[in-house]
Amino acid sequence: MENQLAKSTEERTFQYQDSLPSLPVPSLEESLKKYLESVKPFANKEEYKRTKEIVQKFQDGIGRKLHQKLLERAKGKRNWLEEWWLNFAYLDVRLPSQLNVNFAGPAPYIEHCWPPKEGTQLERGSISLWHNLNYWQLLRKEKVPVDKSGNSPLDMNQFRMLFSTCRIPGITRDSITSYFRTESEGHSPTHIAVLCRGRVFVFDVIHEGCLITPPEIYRQLTYIHKKCHSEPDGPGIAALTSEERTQWAKAREYLISLDPENLTILEKIQSSLLVYTIEDSSPHVTPEDYSQVTTMTLTGDPTVRWGDKSYNLISFSNGVFGCSCDHAPFDAMAMVNISHYVDEKIFENEGRWKGSEKVRDLSLPEELVFTVDDKILNDINQAKAQYLKQASDLQVVVYAFTSFGKKLTKKKMLHPDTFIQLGLQLAYYRFYGRPGSCYETAMTRYFYHGRTETMRTCTVEALGWCRSMQDPSTGLFERQQKMLQAFAKHNKMMKDFSAGKGFDRHLLGLLLIAKEEGLPVPELFTDPLFSKSGGGGNFVLSTSLIGYLRILGMVVPMVHNGYGFFYHIRDDR
């Protein structure tokens, strides 16, 4: 009886999904007021006056009508933004997504149990994979703890997309297919795909009803590694996933028309738990400098990444690890959660497997061989060329700042994230002599299927403080007052925006309603100040806090002349 009670009181991962509040629609007046305030740092008196008139006209006219239509739409949906955001931000985008949309990052094991060491790739890989698979089992049993903010449960829907999820390219719009099911929902795929030297293999991770062990995984990986390193390379079909989306959609259709068996193979990769990448390179990495390994997770060999998969677990030749994930099905926090779990488990077990070395009689990994022709091989070469050309245009630095960390900022009663954000504003202002339009991610997971909201951190207050810091005639006390004002503003915004009171997604909703109704684009969105202040995805600084753990990650900048700034904050760094 006690056991029964313990079981019934245990929280399940997805148990609060049905009781989460719907995503609210903010008031039009509030959103426009906040928008006006956000453009101020980028405008002279004339420009601001003009924008103010445009906003007023919008508020009294077409804006009000669009807002009414948005309220109507929201009535029938628990999240009025969800489908729109997925399409607008991800699935309609035609840019090559592996480089431009995916997020990637290195694993922090090098800081404790697993410093770089040649000859450890397969053994460490089997242990890392095993911990990942344990997390998958916890998720299937709904035993992954519910994320909370205080006592409020947060939306956990994104966690359903971590495994067995894949983006499928379309001619004008991609789609996402998820094969994952919890145990109570039914069958979920139990195989992983392994990519090595342009070839693709799959093997099952469940044998006789239970998870295979690290020694068993090691045997499977060794078989694949030996085969690939003693035979010619495969064609590298995976490179096609790094291509421009419509190009890849056409190549995929052609691939299927060559041989229906190719579709079966594609579906096996799509439905696999995750893609395990065996890389031949050995990137340099130290606890103070993750630059090279981070670059490699995002821009490594395209023939051993399936860019559309929600989870590519990457292993390098020197026993260093990382991942690359499609951003469409989930945001980085879901990945941070599993990465932290695996990191803790590896640390707890000193990087070793302490169980039985016995290897049961498993069937060997199966190689998936595509039927190809010269056209496909040519497409692959073209994909690799454009990928490498784009990748060479990206500069990545990941250094540890070790003078102090959040211990000190908290002691000074300053919020660590706000501290970093204001430091970033000052750095940009010093370097360029002007304010930098900046996006910081605010999360809206308090709400049903909530994801993110844009927080524009280049505020009037932040700019006032930056100016005071650059003005030699300003005294210390005044600088401090201005700094505290900038902190207060930032903290209030983060609280409001996470509570569904942001304005960028609201404005996007109004724009999309206009488009759906076949109406002309309202002047608010064509006003030069709209994009100058970052609107329409034009933020020069695209930033996100990755949390307060050891986990790192990043996406490319939002604009060509911009910076992506992704950071985590620890006690001492």
Side-chain angles (χ1 to χ4, degrees):
M1 183 68 186
E2 266 182 5
N3 278 345
Q4 285 296 312
L5 277 173
K7 272 196 179 125
S8 66
T9 56
E10 208 174 88
E11 284 186 337
R12 297 186 322 282
T13 307
F14 304 113
Q15 82 175 57
Y16 298 111
Q17 289 303 112
D18 292 337
S19 56
L20 289 167
S22 300
L23 184 72
V25 178
S27 94
L28 183 64
E29 290 71 21
E30 277 298 300
S31 286
L32 293 174
K33 192 176 141 198
K34 285 172 184 161
Y35 167 66
L36 262 181
E37 210 176 303
S38 78
V39 304
K40 237 182 196 163
F42 307 95
N44 60 31
K45 275 206 175 73
E46 270 311 295
E47 290 167 327
Y48 184 70
K49 184 170 169 266
R50 167 114 183 87
T51 295
K52 204 173 169 183
E53 285 163 9
I54 291 170
V55 167
Q56 195 56 54
K57 194 175 124 191
F58 180 78
Q59 187 174 317
D60 298 338
I62 187 67
R64 190 159 303 289
K65 290 185 185 127
L66 295 172
H67 184 68
Q68 275 314 115
K69 287 192 191 299
L70 182 58
L71 290 172
E72 281 302 308
R73 176 190 169 95
K75 264 184 203 160
K77 295 181 187 288
R78 290 187 63 192
N79 188 317
W80 57 268
L81 177 66
E82 182 178 16
E83 189 189 336
W84 268 346
W85 180 248
L86 192 59
N87 292 335
F88 173 82
Y90 300 111
L91 304 182
D92 292 341
V93 177
R94 299 291 88 196
L95 286 169
S97 61
Q98 188 172 325
L99 205 54
N100 294 290
V101 179
N102 284 30
F103 58 80
Y109 324 137
I110 64 121
E111 295 190 30
H112 44 83
C113 303
W114 289 349
K117 187 182 174 194
E118 290 300 334
T120 59
Q121 181 178 23
L122 302 179
E123 189 193 344
R124 288 177 178 180
S126 63
I127 293 170
S128 167
L129 255 174
W130 186 74
H131 289 304
N132 274 282
L133 295 171
N134 274 310
Y135 186 96
W136 165 73
Q137 284 199 318
L138 289 173
L139 198 57
R140 287 209 67 214
K141 290 176 168 49
E142 290 198 60
K143 287 189 167 163
V144 169
V146 179
D147 281 346
K148 292 191 174 171
S149 179
N151 289 324
S152 308
L154 301 179
D155 183 273
M156 295 296 284
N157 182 57
Q158 296 178 37
F159 285 72
R160 302 182 65 92
M161 312 288 171
L162 276 169
F163 298 102
S164 299
T165 299
C166 199
R167 185 200 284 236
I168 317 289
I171 300 295
T172 57
R173 171 181 287 170
D174 295 353
S175 58
I176 292 172
T177 304
S178 183
Y179 304 79
F180 175 82
R181 301 287 178 271
T182 62
E183 277 185 1
S184 63
E185 290 166 346
H187 175 74
S188 207
T190 56
H191 64 284
I192 66 168
V194 180
L195 269 53
C196 181
R197 294 206 164 176
R199 295 165 77 173
V200 186
F201 297 82
V202 288
F203 64 85
D204 220 290
V205 298
I206 300 288
H207 183 70
E208 292 168 352
C210 61
L211 197 57
I212 60 176
T213 63
E216 290 169 336
I217 297 170
Y218 178 69
R219 200 206 76 168
Q220 303 294 56
L221 294 181
T222 305
Y223 169 83
I224 293 167
H225 190 267
K226 274 197 174 133
K227 207 168 164 52
C228 292
H229 285 71
S230 60
E231 295 171 9
D233 289 1
I237 292 284
L240 295 173
T241 67
S242 71
E243 187 53 278
E244 187 272 343
R245 300 309 294 171
T246 303
Q247 290 278 97
W248 163 217
K250 287 175 179 167
R252 186 177 180 276
E253 282 178 5
Y254 180 77
L255 193 60
I256 294 164
S257 73
L258 274 182
D259 183 346
E261 185 56 29
N262 284 344
L263 177 59
T264 310
I265 294 175
L266 286 167
E267 283 173 346
K268 272 195 179 156
I269 298 168
Q270 286 158 202
S271 62
S272 64
L273 280 179
L274 51 79
V275 164
Y276 186 75
T277 291
I278 298 179
E279 274 264 16
D280 288 334
S281 58
S282 296
H284 169 76
V285 58
T286 69
E288 279 71 48
D289 183 2
Y290 277 90
S291 304
Q292 197 178 9
V293 66
T294 307
T295 307
M296 291 298 294
T297 58
L298 190 66
T299 65
D301 181 356
T303 67
V304 289
R305 310 261 196 297
W306 200 265
D308 298 345
K309 276 297 274 187
S310 61
Y311 190 3
N312 288 272
L313 177 56
I314 302 163
S315 72
F316 294 101
S317 178
N318 56 349
V320 172
F321 295 84
C323 68
S324 170
C325 306
D326 175 25
H327 205 329
F330 55 78
D331 300 310
M333 293 331 279
M335 199 67 223
V336 168
N337 192 302
I338 181 173
S339 303
H340 177 60
Y341 168 87
V342 174
D343 185 42
E344 290 286 286
K345 292 293 174 195
I346 288 172
F347 183 68
E348 279 167 26
N349 295 287
E350 296 147 357
R352 295 203 300 273
W353 163 245
K354 296 174 179 178
S356 162
E357 291 299 323
K358 185 175 171 283
V359 175
R360 291 169 294 177
D361 187 23
L362 311 173
S363 44
L364 289 170
E366 174 199 358
E367 182 166 12
L368 305 180
V369 183
F370 285 96
T371 302
V372 297
D373 66 2
D374 287 347
K375 182 189 175 326
I376 286 289
L377 294 174
N378 188 43
D379 286 348
I380 292 169
N381 285 332
Q382 216 176 316
K384 285 199 275 198
Q386 71 80 26
Y387 173 81
L388 295 168
K389 182 171 184 268
Q390 272 209 306
S392 68
D393 192 32
L394 187 66
Q395 187 188 3
V396 180
V397 287
V398 190
Y399 299 139
F401 171 87
T402 54
S403 307
F404 58 85
K406 73 176 186 323
K407 237 195 202 128
L408 185 64
T409 59
K410 282 188 161 175
K411 199 172 145 190
K412 301 282 183 196
M413 309 285 282
L414 299 171
H415 192 297
D417 178 58
T418 313
F419 185 90
I420 298 277
Q421 284 288 336
L422 288 171
L424 179 64
Q425 283 298 322
L426 182 58
Y428 190 90
Y429 189 81
R430 279 186 173 162
F431 198 59
Y432 289 96
R434 61 173 188 268
S437 60
C438 183
Y439 164 107
E440 182 182 7
T441 311
M443 71 95 191
T444 52
R445 284 174 58 203
Y446 292 105
F447 305 102
Y448 178 78
H449 288 193
R451 287 189 63 168
T452 59
E453 173 61 272
T454 297
M455 193 165 115
R456 300 188 180 201
T457 57
C458 184
T459 58
V460 172
E461 290 82 353
L463 181 57
W465 172 64
C466 289
R467 283 182 176 144
S468 79
M469 291 295 285
Q470 289 302 87
D471 177 3
S473 67
T474 310
L476 197 59
F477 181 71
E478 193 185 329
R479 284 177 177 179
Q480 190 185 27
Q481 292 311 93
K482 283 191 164 18
M483 182 192 82
L484 293 173
Q485 283 163 8
F487 262 90
K489 177 60 178 278
H490 190 104
N491 295 344
K492 184 181 183 326
M493 272 168 53
M494 187 52 94
K495 199 168 166 224
D496 285 353
F497 286 33
S498 296
K501 294 179 186 158
F503 63 87
D504 267 279
R505 302 286 188 268
H506 184 191
L507 292 182
L508 173 67
L510 300 175
L511 173 64
L512 293 176
I513 291 246
K515 284 188 173 169
E516 278 181 11
E517 301 275 328
L519 299 166
V521 173
E523 195 182 0
L524 178 99
F525 302 101
T526 56
D527 172 21
L529 211 45
F530 180 73
S531 53
K532 192 178 170 186
S533 63
N538 286 292
F539 292 97
V540 176
L541 297 166
S542 159
T543 77
S544 221
L545 166 68
I546 311 294
Y548 299 95
L549 308 164
R550 278 193 288 260
I551 312 304
L552 283 168
M554 48 124 204
V555 290
V556 299
M558 212 178 267
V559 290
H560 201 80
N561 62 328
Y563 297 89
F565 190 79
F566 307 93
Y567 52 97
H568 71 210
I569 305 171
R570 301 195 222 169
D571 283 347
D572 62 340
R573 57 182 57 203

